[in-house]
C-alpha cells in the first residue's frame, strides 16, 4: 500500500455545516473502502489547512479516485501528496548509484 497525505480546506458549504464535520469524516472513511483505501488518520487543524488526513491506497489511481469522490461532495478542497516511508526512500535512493 502507498501512503498519501491530504491537505484539506473547507469550502463555504463545508464551513456552513461544520457541526456535521465529525459525521462527514465517518462517511468519508467508509467511502475510502470503496476504492480499496483506508483513511488511517484525520486531524482538524488550525492554520492554512483545516484538515490533514493520512490515507493508505493500493496505487495512485485508487488514491486519486478517492480524492475526487471526496472533493465532489463539495465540503472540502484537497491537495494530495504521495508520502514515502524510510524504507521506500532507501529503495529510491539506491537507484542513484
Amino acid at each position: 500500500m502507498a501512503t498519501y497525505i491530504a491537505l484539506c480546506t473547507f469550502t463555504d458549504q463545508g464551513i456552513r455545516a461544520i457541526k456535521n464535520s465529525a459525521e462527514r469524516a465517518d462517511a468519508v472513511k467508509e467511502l475510502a473502502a470503496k476504492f480499496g483505501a483506508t483513511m488511517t488518520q484525520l486531524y482538524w487543524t488550525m492554520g492554512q489547512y483545516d484538515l490533514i488526513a493520512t490515507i493508505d491506497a493500493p496505487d495512485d489511481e485508487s488514491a486519486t479516485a478517492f480524492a475526487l469522490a471526496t472533493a465532489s461532495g463539495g465540503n472540502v478542497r484537497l491537495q494530495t501528496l504521495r508520502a514515502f516511508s524510510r524504507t521506500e526512500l532507501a529503495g529510491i535512493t539506491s537507484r542513484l548509484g
Side-chain angles (χ1 to χ4, degrees), residues 6-19:
L7 306 174
C8 310
T9 56
F10 288 122
T11 62
D12 289 342
Q13 173 182 307
I15 201 66
R16 277 193 304 271
I18 191 65
K19 291 181 181 180

Side-chain angles (χ1 to χ4, degrees), residues 8-92:
C8 310
T9 56
F10 288 122
T11 62
D12 289 342
Q13 173 182 307
I15 201 66
R16 277 193 304 271
I18 191 65
K19 291 181 181 180
N20 300 327
S21 186
E23 291 80 16
R24 287 196 315 259
D26 292 339
V28 170
K29 193 170 188 173
E30 290 178 21
L31 178 65
K34 292 182 180 180
F35 299 94
T38 305
M39 188 168 64
T40 57
Q41 298 288 326
L42 178 64
Y43 298 99
W44 285 259
T45 57
M46 298 185 298
Q48 182 177 357
Y49 299 100
D50 299 311
L51 301 158
I52 307 290
T54 57
I55 300 144
D56 289 337
D59 50 46
D60 290 347
E61 293 81 4
S62 298
T64 301
F66 170 56
L68 290 170
T70 300
S72 72
N75 294 303
V76 294
R77 289 186 182 84
L78 297 95
Q79 180 178 5
T80 307
L81 310 168
R82 172 66 164 94
F84 297 92
S85 69
R86 182 183 183 113
T87 302
E88 290 169 320
L89 180 64
I92 292 166

